[in-house]
Amino acid sequence: MHRLLARQLKKLGLSQDKLPSQQQWAKLLTTIEKSYEASDQDRYTLERSLTLSSEEMQVLYQKQKDTYESRLESILNAMPDVLFLLNEDIKCLEVMSGNKRILKDNISLALGKYAHEVFPEDKARLFKDAVTRALTKDNLVVVHYELDINGETHYFEGRVMPTNYVVDGQRTAVFIAIDITKRVKADVQSQIITTMFDSSREGMLILNNKLEPVSYNKAFCDLTGETPDTVESGMSALVKRLFSSSTGNRIKESMMDDGYWIGEVTGYHKSGESYPLWLSINKVRCNTADTTNYVVMLSDVSELKRSQEELEHVATHDALTNLPNRILFQDRLEQAIIRTHRNDTLGALFFLDLDRFKNINDNLGHLVGDDLLMQAAQRLKQICRSSDTLARIGGDEFTVIVEDLHETDELAFIAQKILNAFKEPFALKDYKLEISVSIGISIFPQDSEDPVEIIKHADTAMYSAKELGRNTYQFYTQELTSSAFEYFATEIALRKALENNEFFLLYQPQFNLESNELIGVEALVRWRHPDMGIVSPAAFIHIAETNGQIIDIGRWVIAEASRQCSVWKAQGMPDLTVSVNISRKQLVVPNFADDVSAILEEEGLDGCQLEFEITESSIIENKGIAYDNLNNLKAMGINMAIDDFGTGYSSLINLKQFPLTRLKIDQSFVRDVTKDPNDEAIIRATIALAKSLQLRVIAEGVETENQRKFLLMEGCDEAQGYFYSQPVEADEIIERYLHHNHIQKSVQFK
Ligand code: C2E
Ligand code: MG
Ligand code: MG
């Protein structure tokens, strides 16, 4: 007996000798079916093992067949696809599908028909070809085709399999038509997205929820300069850099909280170049895979910005001269007013109008007029500092905004510079034309703080300049105009003063406070003006500093003081130090130290017999060259003192880096000693600090005995002032101090 049957009989509690009843057979067979796919061999074994009558066998087979068919039907009914049984002529012998709708609609119409009667010709041919191939090769053949069903295109995959079933002498094949429309559409969609991703001009980068790069496109490589070999590490570096700054943290927060971020950041090319990058990041949540990704889109917006800037430039600049136009000028003026207010400085508006421009334009033509305007703009540009705003605000009207002024004197100087710029004739076409300019100046915030008014004032002043005969300048306020002319009268006279030997030096003695010994003198320049008599340095040093004449005057002072020093030395006062005041402008002359060295050599002097007095601001303002000059001078043995200490803003600590030897307390503090406790406190602190930096301290402007006593008590080392002596001629120094090297002599001169 077959082992399976034997086992089943045993399970049913039957012996092999005792054959089961009909019911028991049915149960037995169901059990076998469940666990056993009956093959012919098995069925035969089964038949043989059961000594059944042929009727009983018939019943059994019938039952088995019914069960099989109903199972097959259930399977087919569950199948969403359509199954055709086709013969070699592609006649449809059977059609089945779980999709009742399709069956009902039209497919069932195919039953009993040839393919070409139901399907379009090309499809019928395709099916025939597929069936023939499947039957010939006895293998599966797959074809793809599309059909219009109810006005919609459906895509199908046809799977053709040969069967053993022969009908009317023809072989048959099963054709399963699977509707793959959804899959095809999804494929197309994903292909479009992939193409978009790959060919997009925007750099794209996909990050996972840990902000690690997952994918990137070609544009991303181009944008970052990474190659496929380095892109992985480059990508990580970019992401790291992107999120490491404080902006990066904000981006991250916004990505997590709001799911997106959009804005501009700085991008870095692998070459090290930086560029503006427009960045948009969006959170993408995929529910099916339960993941979160971030899609980062990057685009280089430098081109866009450049064209924006170009547009802005065109809108704010004059096309002919490329200077700022009225719009930009007004904006700059407003800004300048705010700044001067904040910094407590002065600003000025120069309103320029070319003289007789209309004549040139009308008589020589617009082209010549344009050429003149361009050349005038060029000349003005050359004399303006980069911080000034030169604009063309109308036909022949130019404006210059100058900021950060401290003295109104500087304005006349600038105005004169502008007039001078027009002195040379202009080469226009075949002509050489002399063209002048009239200038109106208004000062802010002095004259007004309102931009419109400031322009109006400057314009009014420009008209007064025209009325005065052109080629001149006028201030909005008359007093300034007068003082400006005084300034220029002085400037012109100063130019001749050196040539005419009109300068001379006075010397003010300096004493040791404790021993009353004369230790040195301060050289103070005077100007013997042919008409005005003796002019104090306070009246001309500032002008000389503004126009640069101080360089030559200062050089003369050093030479004269050195000459005098060597005379005194020869006369028997070898230890006298001469202090010379040095202007901030001298300190920034690159070969200043060489000049001084040449002078010392000529006079046969040691550097240590000179002291240079400089103000705090002059070295703090010009750290670079001034610092080098000071070190070179120090190397030559020249002493270095800070003059007028306390009037600037620097602290002693700031001055520590400079090679100083002495500190001069300004006379304004000394003046109120014994009256103003604040001044006393300042002096006390200054002395203490100077000592801690190993600097000697001298007080200037000592006029009374009380002042002297106070300074002595506080530990000040030296002093000068009217209490001891006014500045005197060189000869008097010898007369007074050669044999009595102490204070008593000078007291008589008080
Ligand atoms: P400074 O260097 O602070 O010189 C001291 C000024 O105070 C001198 O004025 C001096 O005459 C004056 N003075 C001296 N003792 C007393 C006193 O007891 N009471 C009062 N009220 N004044 C006193 P001066 O000579 O008119 O010089 C003024 C300023 O001109 C100097 O100030 C210095 O900054 C500058 N200066 C003078 N000569 C030169 C020079 O050759 N080159 C440069 N660049 N500047 C110079
Ligand atoms: Mg001085
Ligand atoms: Mg001083």
Side-chain angles (χ1 to χ4, degrees):
M1 179 175 273
H2 187 262
R3 58 182 165 75
L4 187 75
L5 183 64
R7 201 186 313 147
Q8 294 302 334
L9 287 173
K10 203 172 163 201
K11 270 195 189 162
L12 290 168
L14 300 168
S15 76
Q16 291 179 24
D17 330 316
K18 201 177 162 230
L19 283 172
S21 71
Q22 195 78 31
Q23 271 172 340
Q24 284 168 331
W25 270 121
K27 199 170 176 190
L28 174 64
L29 280 169
T30 318
T31 316
I32 293 172
E33 264 172 33
K34 270 190 198 154
S35 58
Y36 175 72
E37 283 291 325
S39 68
D40 288 347
Q41 177 63 36
D42 293 335
R43 202 177 301 124
Y44 173 73
T45 318
L46 190 68
E47 280 171 19
R48 283 209 35 220
S49 2
L50 305 167
T51 45
L52 296 177
S53 71
S54 65
E55 293 83 46
E56 281 169 336
M57 252 345 255
Q58 196 57 43
V59 170
L60 195 60
Y61 283 145
Q62 190 56 47
K63 190 172 172 54
Q64 202 176 355
K65 194 172 164 232
D66 289 350
T67 314
Y68 178 71
E69 277 176 6
S70 79
R71 186 166 60 175
L72 197 63
E73 198 182 322
S74 320
I75 293 169
L76 287 171
N77 280 344
M79 187 174 68
D81 311 314
V82 186
L83 185 149
F84 300 93
L85 181 69
L86 303 174
N87 69 8
E88 291 167 28
D89 294 336
I90 323 299
K91 184 179 175 186
C92 178
L93 306 177
E94 191 65 72
V95 54
M96 296 175 191
S97 174
N99 191 333
K100 295 285 179 285
R101 192 179 59 80
I102 295 183
L103 268 188
K104 207 171 102 223
D105 274 1
N106 35 23
I107 299 296
S108 54
L109 297 177
L111 191 60
K113 298 220 170 106
Y114 291 95
H116 63 262
E117 294 177 285
V118 184
F119 297 102
E121 205 184 316
D122 59 329
K123 301 294 171 321
R125 221 177 301 122
L126 178 81
F127 299 158
K128 170 140 181 85
D129 180 53
V131 169
T132 311
R133 268 193 296 139
L135 291 175
T136 317
K137 291 187 179 163
D138 202 15
N139 216 338
L140 169 74
V141 170
V142 178
V143 287
H144 288 100
Y145 59 96
E146 42 184 274
L147 281 178
D148 236 17
I149 300 176
N150 298 335
E152 257 182 62
T153 306
H154 281 244
Y155 298 87
F156 290 92
E157 183 176 282
R159 301 176 78 84
V160 194
M161 283 155 295
T163 72
N164 295 331
Y165 192 42
V166 175
V167 178
D168 298 333
Q170 282 200 14
R171 291 181 61 197
T172 58
V174 168
F175 186 111
I176 302 174
I178 306 163
D179 189 337
I180 54 166
T181 307
K182 273 192 187 154
R183 202 176 82 200
V184 169
K185 283 191 175 163
D187 274 359
V188 170
Q189 190 82 6
S190 101
Q191 258 177 41
I192 292 172
I193 292 170
T194 311
T195 315
M196 262 171 57
F197 185 76
D198 290 342
S199 60
S200 163
R201 283 170 47 126
E202 281 187 77
M204 290 190 199
L205 175 66
I206 316 275
L207 303 175
N208 64 14
N209 62 347
K210 290 183 198 146
L211 301 182
E212 291 159 348
V214 174
S215 181
Y216 59 90
N217 68 352
K218 181 176 173 301
F220 172 83
C221 293
D222 297 344
L223 213 60
T224 51
E226 303 292 347
T227 59
D229 300 339
T230 62
V231 71
E232 299 288 328
S233 57
M235 206 154 44
S236 306
L238 178 121
V239 171
K240 222 182 253 169
R241 197 156 42 198
L242 197 64
F243 296 119
S244 60
S245 61
S246 59
T247 325
N249 283 332
R250 260 184 289 128
I251 296 176
K252 229 187 315 189
E253 259 171 43
S254 158
M255 277 165 64
M256 306 286 172
D257 300 348
D258 312 332
Y260 70 94
W261 190 87
I262 288 187
E264 197 184 305
V265 293
T266 304
Y268 295 92
H269 195 268
K270 206 177 172 205
S271 63
E273 233 175 88
S274 63
Y275 53 88
L277 196 64
W278 188 254
L279 180 75
S280 87
I281 305 179
N282 283 291
K283 190 175 184 171
V284 179
R285 189 125 184 90
C286 177
N287 287 329
T288 35
D290 193 23
T291 54
T292 299
N293 283 301
Y294 295 93
V295 178
V296 183
M297 309 249 255
L298 317 136
S299 48
D300 179 351
V301 286
S302 39
E303 250 336 293
L304 189 77
K305 287 199 114 184
R306 207 167 300 138
S307 56
Q308 261 172 1
E309 274 163 20
E310 266 167 31
L311 270 180
E312 209 175 290
H313 186 87
V314 169
T316 53
H317 285 75
D318 165 41
L320 182 67
T321 59
N322 202 26
L323 292 178
N325 63 12
R326 184 180 278 274
I327 298 171
L328 184 55
F329 153 71
Q330 276 173 337
D331 184 54
R332 296 263 179 96
L333 182 60
E334 280 167 28
Q335 300 300 321
I337 296 167
I338 295 169
R339 270 194 298 271
T340 44
H341 202 83
R342 192 172 54 217
N343 303 341
D344 199 18
T345 52
L346 285 177
L349 172 64
F350 292 72
F351 198 108
L352 281 60
D353 189 287
L354 301 189
D355 296 328
R356 300 195 180 87
F357 176 75
K358 198 173 170 312
N359 283 354
I360 294 167
N361 224 12
D362 291 351
N363 296 324
L364 302 180
H366 290 257
L367 285 180
V368 175
D370 283 355
D371 193 12
L372 170 61
L373 290 170
M374 284 191 280
Q375 289 192 36
Q378 202 51 39
R379 290 192 189 185
L380 289 169
K381 237 189 245 175
Q382 272 165 7
I383 54 167
C384 285
R385 299 173 304 178
S386 57
S387 53
D388 302 336
T389 298
L390 167 66
R392 177 174 173 232
I393 60 163
D396 62 341
E397 291 171 345
F398 293 89
T399 48
V400 185
I401 304 168
V402 181
E403 287 178 66
D404 208 18
L405 299 161
H406 298 277
E407 306 274 345
T408 47
D409 286 356
E410 296 171 49
L411 298 171
F413 182 69
I414 297 167
Q416 191 58 52
K417 240 167 72 175
I418 298 174
L419 293 179
N420 291 346
F422 282 77
K423 273 206 174 131
E424 279 284 306
F426 285 80
L428 298 167
K429 217 175 161 193
D430 309 323
Y431 317 94
K432 271 205 159 191
L433 293 181
E434 293 204 5
I435 287 123
S436 57
V437 63
S438 298
I439 309 167
I441 309 164
S442 91
I443 301 174
F444 48 90
Q446 212 160 293
D447 293 346
S448 169
E449 286 191 42
D450 173 34
V452 179
E453 268 197 351
I454 291 168
I455 300 170
K456 214 169 80 194
H457 289 345
D459 193 32
T460 312
M462 189 274 294
Y463 275 103
S464 335
K466 291 250 180 214
E467 275 165 22
L468 277 174
R470 302 183 169 92
N471 192 21
T472 187
Y473 62 87
Q474 287 284 296
F475 283 92
Y476 175 64
T477 41
Q478 193 50 45
E479 308 90 80
L480 273 179
T481 305
S482 334
S483 79
F485 285 114
E486 256 168 52
Y487 170 94
F488 275 104
T490 313
E491 198 204 345
I492 291 161
L494 257 182
R495 252 182 253 155
K496 290 193 221 126
L498 260 184
E499 275 170 45
N500 297 349
N501 229 351
E502 290 168 5
F503 293 115
F504 67 98
L505 296 182
L506 291 184
Y507 298 92
Q508 185 172 37
Q510 300 175 336
F511 296 91
N512 182 303
L513 264 169
E514 211 168 284
S515 66
N516 286 334
E517 264 177 82
L518 177 77
I519 46 144
V521 293
E522 178 176 7
L524 294 157
V525 71
R526 297 290 180 264
W527 178 17
R528 192 178 287 112
H529 190 282
D531 307 321
M532 294 190 278
I534 308 288
V535 183
S536 125
F540 67 87
I541 291 286
H542 175 66
I543 297 174
E545 275 181 338
T546 310
N547 65 22
Q549 289 171 342
I550 192 70
I551 310 282
D552 292 334
I553 299 173
R555 193 184 293 114
W556 177 85
V557 173
I558 300 170
E560 174 58 16
S562 304
R563 190 196 60 78
Q564 187 56 55
C565 186
S566 80
V567 170
W568 282 325
K569 208 169 143 187
Q571 288 175 338
M573 297 185 83
D575 299 329
L576 204 64
T577 308
V578 182
S579 300
V580 179
N581 293 285
I582 302 294
S583 151
R584 67 185 64 215
K585 288 269 163 99
Q586 285 172 277
L587 276 185
V588 290
V589 173
N591 57 355
F592 178 56
D594 297 338
D595 273 2
V596 176
S597 162
I599 293 170
L600 286 176
E601 203 170 318
E602 193 165 313
E603 299 301 339
L605 276 188
D606 279 342
C608 64
Q609 293 204 260
L610 289 188
E611 177 182 69
F612 284 178
E613 291 190 7
I614 48 191
T615 56
E616 318 161 49
S617 55
S618 64
I619 50 173
I620 297 293
E621 271 169 28
N622 310 299
K623 264 190 192 153
I625 305 179
Y627 188 73
D628 292 345
N629 270 332
L630 290 180
N631 278 320
N632 290 338
L633 294 166
K634 183 78 208 305
M636 285 152 54
I638 295 174
N639 299 293
M640 227 53 78
I642 289 289
D643 201 358
D644 306 340
F645 187 78
T647 55
Y649 295 103
S650 55
S651 71
L652 254 188
I653 305 302
N654 263 345
L655 299 173
K656 210 174 140 186
Q657 53 188 306
F658 298 99
L660 305 173
T661 39
R662 192 154 77 147
L663 204 81
K664 207 170 199 187
I665 299 175
D666 190 64
Q667 49 182 292
S668 58
F669 299 106
V670 178
R671 194 176 303 133
D672 291 333
V673 149
T674 69
K675 285 182 229 145
D676 187 341
N678 287 336
D679 284 347
E680 289 179 7
I682 289 169
I683 290 179
R684 215 169 274 135
T686 305
I687 294 172
L689 259 170
K691 293 273 143 122
S692 74
L693 294 171
Q694 271 106 43
L695 298 177
R696 281 184 298 126
V697 188
I698 179 164
E700 69 178 359
V702 179
E703 295 182 353
T704 65
E705 173 64 13
N706 280 346
Q707 289 166 347
R708 191 190 71 87
K709 272 195 196 145
F710 171 82
L711 291 162
L712 180 63
M713 208 170 64
E714 294 304 332
C716 182
D717 305 297
E718 291 136 12
Q720 77 182 77
Y722 296 166
F723 173 75
Y724 299 101
S725 166
Q726 296 234 345
V728 295
E729 301 268 351
D731 290 348
E732 262 194 74
I733 298 285
I734 278 288
E735 277 173 31
R736 287 197 214 169
Y737 305 107
L738 181 56
H739 302 298
H740 321 270
N741 187 11
H742 60 81
I743 190 168
Q744 267 128 18
K745 263 252 160 175
S746 67
V747 172
Q748 303 170 2
F749 288 89
K750 275 211 304 164

